Amino acid sequence: MLARATDDTVPQQIRRRRAAALRCPPLDDGHRDPLDRYVQPGQPSTYGMTETELRRYANHLVLNEGWSPWEVRQRLAITPRAQCCPCCRHHQEAAA
């Protein structure tokens, strides 16, 4: 006879899977659970940024990290401003 699934069946399965993963030896990247690498990105999250902060981050990616504008538009859904905007590094250096 099959057990009837309840609303808390899935969370129980997730907790059991997580506990089993933590009992295993670490993987090559140091994580014990392979799903950890997907929920703990190597870079800070852009969630919760204001539009000004997100645009400043987009400008930083283009100016300092070598990203092209199309990569920033595709990844962050925002267009970096021109180099003479108040958010960019060049404007701050010119004002100093």
Side-chain angles (χ1 to χ4, degrees), residues 3-17:
R4 185 173 174 205
T6 61
D7 290 340
D8 53 294
T9 302
V10 172
Q12 288 174 0
Q13 292 171 344
I14 292 171
R15 281 192 292 273
R16 284 197 308 266
R17 186 202 165 283

Side-chain angles (χ1 to χ4, degrees), residues 17-18 21-22 27 29-41:
R17 186 202 165 283
R18 178 75 175 164
L22 293 177
L27 301 168
D29 62 358
H31 295 288
R32 291 181 184 270
D33 189 344
L35 296 179
D36 281 349
R37 65 180 70 122
Y38 300 112
V39 296
Q40 297 177 348

Side-chain angles (χ1 to χ4, degrees), residues 8-68:
D8 53 294
T9 302
V10 172
Q12 288 174 0
Q13 292 171 344
I14 292 171
R15 281 192 292 273
R16 284 197 308 266
R17 186 202 165 283
R18 178 75 175 164
L22 293 177
R23 288 191 298 266
C24 294
L27 301 168
D28 292 338
D29 62 358
H31 295 288
R32 291 181 184 270
D33 189 344
L35 296 179
D36 281 349
R37 65 180 70 122
Y38 300 112
V39 296
Q40 297 177 348
Q43 295 292 324
S45 174
T46 57
Y47 294 117
M49 286 184 169
T50 64
E51 184 177 348
T52 303
E53 292 169 336
L54 186 59
R55 195 171 303 275
R56 185 178 297 132
Y57 181 63
N59 288 340
H60 168 78
L61 291 175
V62 170
L63 294 171
N64 300 325
E65 302 295 329
W67 286 41
S68 63

Side-chain angles (χ1 to χ4, degrees), residues 55-90:
R55 195 171 303 275
R56 185 178 297 132
Y57 181 63
N59 288 340
H60 168 78
L61 291 175
V62 170
L63 294 171
N64 300 325
E65 302 295 329
W67 286 41
S68 63
W70 71 267
E71 290 174 308
V72 173
R73 279 193 303 273
Q74 184 177 9
R75 187 72 166 164
L76 301 178
I78 196 164
T79 302
R81 287 190 180 152
Q83 291 184 354
C84 295
C85 74
C87 297
C88 80
R89 180 171 54 95
H90 298 291

